[in-house]
Amino acid sequence: MSSQPVEATAASTAASKGNVLVEITDLAKAYQRDAQRVDVFEHVTLNILRGEFLALMGPSGSGKSTLLNILAGLDRPDTGSVVVDGKDITRMSNKQLAAWRSTEIGFIFQFYNLLPVLTAYQNVELPLLLTHLSKKQRREHVMTMLEVVGLTDRAEHFPRQLSGGQQQRVGIARAIVSDPSIILGDEPTGDLDSKSANEILTLMQRLNEEFNKTILMVTHDGHAAERAHEVMHLDKGILHR
Amino acid sequence: MKFARLVWANILRNKRRTALTTLSVGVAFFLFGTLRSIVTTLDAAAEVGSEARLITSSASGITFVLPEAHASRIQTFEGVRSVSWANWFGGYYTDPNDFFAQFAVETDTYLDLYPEIEITGGSKEAFVQERTAALVGVGLMEKYGWRVDQTVTLKGTIFQGDWDFTVRAVYTPTNPSFGDETMFFHYDYLYEATDGRISPGWFVLGMENPDEAAALASRIDAVFENSTAPTKTETERAWQTGFITMWGNVGFLVRAVGTAVFFAILLVAANTMMMAVRERVNEVAVMKTLGFQNGTLFGIVLAESIAITMLGGTIGLFLARMAFAGDNPVNQFFPGFMVRTETILLGLAIALVLGLVSGAVPAWQSARLSVVQAFRRVA
Amino acid sequence: MKIPIIYNLRSLRQRPVSTVTTALGMALVVAVFIAMMALSNGFSAALRSTGSTENVLLIRQGANQEMNSGISRDAARVVSGMPFVETGADGLPMVSPETYVVVPLPRAEGRGMANVVARGVGLTAFDVRKDIEITDGRAFRSGAREVVVGKTFTERFDNSDIGDTVRFATEDWVIVGHFSAGGSSFESEIWGENEQFMPVFRGQIFQSVTFRMRDPAAFDGIKEMLEGDSRLNVDAFRELEFYANQSTLLSQVLSFIAVFISTIMAVGAVFGAVNTMYAAVASRAPEIGVLLTLGFKRRNVLTSFIAEASLIALLGGAIGCLMALPINGLVTSTTNWNTFSEVAFAFRVTPSLLVTGVVFSVLMGLLGGFFPAWKAARANVVDSLRQA
C-alpha cells in the first residue's frame, strides 16, 4: 500500500492545547458495492486534543462523512479503534453507543434536521429527555442554550417558522444542551447563505473559545474551514494534516 | 411520560390522517359495542331465570300442555314450597305483527313466586280479586297508552275471538332484563271462557332449598315418566336458556363478524402507522444520532399507535353506549338492550391489543433503522 | 389526453404493502357484506320457496299460524268434497289435512335442543305439495310408526340415517326415508302420517288443510267461499304467500342487520382508502407537477387518481368475493319466531350478489379516492415540482 498515514499532532501542540480527547488509530472502512469491495479509507490515524477546533475537507466520496459517523458511533469501522475520553467506542454495543452518544456527542447536521412537529424549545429539550433531569432542570438548560444561540424569543416557534440560519442555531443549541465532550458538524453551513453561514461559524468559534468545546467540522467551504485552528484534508483514503 | 408530548406531537402531525384513522377505529368499536351487547343482553335474559324456581313443562315440547292434576301431585313432593302454573295466550292488541307476551297465570300463587314483579300502579288486591283483571308491565302501558281501570280488548290467535281485560295493576320489574312489556291475567278466566278446554302450559315451583334443585327435578320427572303426560323439570334459568339457544348461532355470527371487523380495522390502523413511520425515517435517524435507544423509539411508535386505537375505541364504545341508552328500536326488540360497562372494558382491552399489533411492525422498523442508510437515502 | 392506466398500475406496484392492506381491508368488508346478505337471502329463499301458488292453505280463523290453529275432521272432510279441489291421478281429491307440532330434539354434538316441526300429512301430501321428492329410502307406510325427514334435518341431527329411530311425543319413530323439497323450509321438518301423529299429539284435530286448486286463477272466489262457510271457520291463503308471510319479520331483521353491519364497516374502509390515496397523492406530488407541465389537464389527473382508487377497490372486491364464496351452500339454522321452530337454510351466494359486492367495493373506492384526487388535480405545478 503506497498511501502513508500522516503522523498527526506534534507534541508541542498537545502540550499547549491540553490532553488528548480522541484517539483514532489505524482505522479502515470498506463498502461492499455489488460484488466489489470499495475501500473508503485505510490506516487513518488521528488524535484530537481537548479544546481543538478542527475542520475536515475533502472531495465528495472521500469518506469524510463516514469518518464522522464512525466517530459519532453511528457506523462501525472494519478495523482500528476509536478511543474517546479513555473509552474504546468500537467495542461498545449498539445500546451502549446510543447512551454514550446522548452524553458525549453533539451532532450538527447540514439540513438542521429539527423535528418539524416540535417547537424550537422542544427540539432543544429532546436530548435532555434521555437524562434524569427534572422538568425544571431541563427548562433551565434549554433556556440557557437558547440564550447562547440568541433565540430566546423564538422558543415557541416551529422549525417551519424559522429561517435556515435560525434553524441551524436551534440545531446547535440541541447539540450542546447535554454538554457533550465533542461537537461534530457535518457541513453545518452547507445549506446556508453566506451571511447566515458566518453567523453560525462565529457561534461555533464562540463555543470553542468561550465554552472550550472541542469541535470537528466537515466542510466543503474554504471560508468555513478558515475559522478552525487547523484544516485537515481527506483525499483518496489518506488524511493530510 | 416525558415522551408523551413527542407522541402527541406526532399524532397531530397529519391531523387528517389521524382523524380518519381514529374515526374508522371508532366506527369499528361502535359496531363491536353493538354486537357484543346482543350477546350480553341474551345472556342477561337467560339469567333473569331464577335458580330458585323450577319449571315443569311437557317433555314433548312447547306445543304440549300438562294436566292440571299434576299440580296437586307435585305439591306433595318434599322440598316443594309452592306450585303455580301458567299458559301462553298468544293474542295481540290491534296489529297482529306487534307482538307482546301475555300469560294466563294461577294468580293466587304466581305473584308470590315472582318477587321481580313489583306492583307500582293500581293494586294487587284489585287484580287478584277480579276474574277479568290484568296486570300489565309499565312499558306496555306506555306503549299502548293504557290507563289503570281501562278495559282493553285483545284478539286471540290460539284462543279465538275478542278478549276483554280490565287493567287493575301495573308492575315495574325489579330487574330490567325481566322486561316490562308483559301482561298477566287470570288462568281461571281463560279456563271458564273455553269451557275447560285448556290445561297448564307449565308449572312454576318454589323450592324449600334451591341447592337440591337437580335432585328434586329428577324425582318429579321420574314419577311422571310413564304417565300419559311425561314432564321435563329444570331450573327456570335452564328453561330460559333453552329459549335463548333457539336464537341459534348468534354467538357465532357475532364472533365471525367481530373478527372480520377486527382484521379490517387492523389493516387500516397498521397501514396508517406504516405510512406515518415511512415518512419519518429521517427524524428517527436524527433521534438515534441524538442518542435515543432502539427500545425508546420502538415504544414511542407503539404508544402513538395505541393512543390512536384507544382514542378511537373510546369514542366508538361511548357513542354506542349513548346510542342505545333510553328508548330505541333495538331496545324494543331486545328488552334491556344496553352497552354494559364490561363490554366497554372488553372493547378497550381489544383496542389496546389492536394498537399493539398494528404498531408493532412499524415500531420494529423504526427501532432497527440504520442511521447511516437512512441519511444516505435522504442525501 | 388521457393518462394511461398503466401509470396507475405501476404506481400501485410501487407501494405493494399499502395497496394490499387497503385492498384487503375492503375485501373483508365486501366478504362480510356478501356473507350477511347470503344469510338473509338464504333464509327468505327457504321460506319464499315454501309452498305453491296453486295450493290453498287453510287454518282456523284468526290463528295466524299453523301452531295455533285447529280444524276439525268434519271441516276437513267438507273441504275435500268441494268442487274446486283438484283430483289426483288416483281419482281422489288432492287434499292434505295436517297436524303440526313442534318437538324438541337434541342437536348434533350435544349443542342443546332445537325445536323441529313434526308434520302429520295426508298420504296425498307428496302429490299435493310441489317439488317433494324422496331422495333416499321410501315414503312412510300408512298405519306404521314411520317418518321421513327433510334434507337439512339430516345435517343437523345425529341418528337421522335411514333405519335410525327418533323419539318424540313419547313414541319411537323409525326413519324410512329422506326427502328434498326444492330448498324450502319443509326440508327442516319431520313428516309422518297425520293419522299416526294425531292421537299422540293434540287429539282429534288438524292444524291445517292444504289442497290443490283445479283452477289457480279462481283463488279469490275460492277464498271468499271458504271463509264465508260457517261450517269451516277458516282463513284461506295461497300456500306460497302464507309461508312467505311467516318469515317477513325475521327476513327484515336479518337484512337490517346485514345492511347495518356492512354500512358501518364500509365507513371504516372508506376512511382507510382515503388515507391511502392521500398518501399516494402526497408521495407523487412531483410526478403530478410533471404531468401538468406536460400538458395533461387537471381533469385527467382527477380521473387518473379516482381510477387508481377504484382499481384498489376492484382488487379488494374481487378478493372479498373469493373469501365469501366458500360459505355458499353452508347450512345454518335459526329459530323463526313466528313458529317457534328452527328453520335450516343454506347461505346463498348468487352471481348477482357477487356483482353487488364488487359494485359496493368500487363505490367505496370512488368515495375514498375522490377527495385525494381532487387535491391532486388542484396541485400547484411549481410547488409540486419543488418537492422533487
Side-chain angles (χ1 to χ4, degrees), chain B residues 182-226:
Chain B
T182 303
M183 173 171 153
F184 300 93
F185 64 91
H186 290 247
Y187 179 84
D188 290 347
Y189 176 32
L190 189 62
Y191 186 84
E192 285 162 31
T194 57
D195 297 325
R197 283 190 292 112
I198 67 152
S199 211
W202 61 90
F203 296 99
V204 187
L205 283 58
M207 286 180 285
E208 304 279 4
N209 182 1
D211 293 340
E212 288 165 11
L216 180 58
S218 46
R219 272 192 289 140
I220 293 173
D221 289 347
V223 164
F224 295 113
E225 191 176 354
N226 293 312

Side-chain angles (χ1 to χ4, degrees), chain C residues 112-348:
Chain C
M113 306 289 278
N115 281 316
V116 178
V117 173
R119 188 183 290 276
V121 300
L123 295 169
T124 50
F126 294 89
D127 297 323
V128 176
R129 291 265 155 69
K130 296 243 166 163
D131 297 329
I132 308 285
E133 211 177 309
I134 301 285
T135 52
D136 230 344
R138 56 174 173 82
F140 52 82
R141 275 185 316 230
S142 178
R145 287 267 191 265
E146 294 176 346
V147 293
V148 292
V149 297
K151 204 170 84 180
T152 60
F153 179 92
T154 59
E155 293 172 31
R156 291 181 298 137
F157 298 94
D158 294 333
N159 295 326
S160 53
D161 291 335
I162 289 168
D164 287 343
T165 54
V166 48
R167 186 176 173 82
F168 56 87
T170 71
E171 300 273 345
D172 284 328
W173 307 82
V174 180
I175 297 174
V176 296
H178 295 164
F179 68 94
S180 67
S184 71
S185 67
F186 290 137
E187 290 183 354
S188 305
E189 300 181 351
I190 301 175
W191 283 16
E193 191 191 359
N194 49 11
E195 294 300 335
Q196 294 299 313
F197 281 8
M198 209 183 242
V200 296
F201 286 149
R202 297 206 264 183
Q204 295 298 315
I205 196 155
F206 295 113
Q207 270 69 53
S208 66
V209 174
T210 301
F211 66 86
R212 175 78 56 85
M213 289 178 280
R214 205 177 279 280
D215 174 16
F219 173 75
D220 291 342
I222 292 171
K223 178 181 168 74
E224 202 176 319
M225 192 184 306
L226 289 168
E227 289 181 351
D229 193 323
S230 60
R231 294 170 297 174
L232 300 178
N233 184 32
V234 293
D235 288 331
F237 304 89
R238 276 194 200 268
E239 192 193 16
L240 187 78
E241 285 166 14
F242 177 80
Y243 288 112
N245 279 336
Q246 297 286 298
S247 71
T248 329
L249 178 67
L250 197 49
S251 313
Q252 278 172 352
V253 169
L254 287 176
S255 23
F256 172 77
I257 292 175
V259 170
F260 174 77
I261 290 177
S262 309
T263 310
I264 290 190
M265 284 188 72
V267 172
V270 166
F271 288 166
V274 173
N275 267 345
T276 307
M277 287 311 294
Y278 267 121
V281 169
S283 69
R284 274 147 62 195
E287 294 171 47
I288 297 167
V290 171
L291 288 170
L292 291 173
T293 316
L294 290 178
F296 283 101
K297 296 217 167 54
R298 293 183 185 278
R299 184 160 34 85
N300 301 134
V301 173
L302 181 76
T303 319
S304 175
F305 275 93
I306 289 181
E308 187 167 324
S310 310
L311 269 176
I312 299 180
L314 197 64
L315 180 69
I319 298 173
C321 287
L322 286 179
M323 282 159 74
L325 264 185
I327 65 154
N328 187 33
L330 211 70
V331 172
T332 184
S333 59
T334 185
T335 297
N336 185 354
W337 290 100
N338 286 63
T339 60
F340 269 96
S341 64
E342 237 183 45
V343 183
F345 56 94
F347 281 88
R348 279 166 58 103

Side-chain angles (χ1 to χ4, degrees), chain C residues 9 11 18 21 37 44 50 73 77 82-83 86 113 166 187 207 217-218 224 239 259 268 273 275 325 329 364 372:
Chain C
L9 285 172
S11 86
S18 87
T21 45
M37 291 309 287
S44 27
T50 304
R73 266 184 193 283
R77 201 171 297 124
M82 294 283 191
E86 177 72 298
M113 306 289 278
V166 48
E187 290 183 354
Q207 270 69 53
E224 202 176 319
E239 192 193 16
V259 170
N275 267 345
L325 264 185
M364 287 194 284

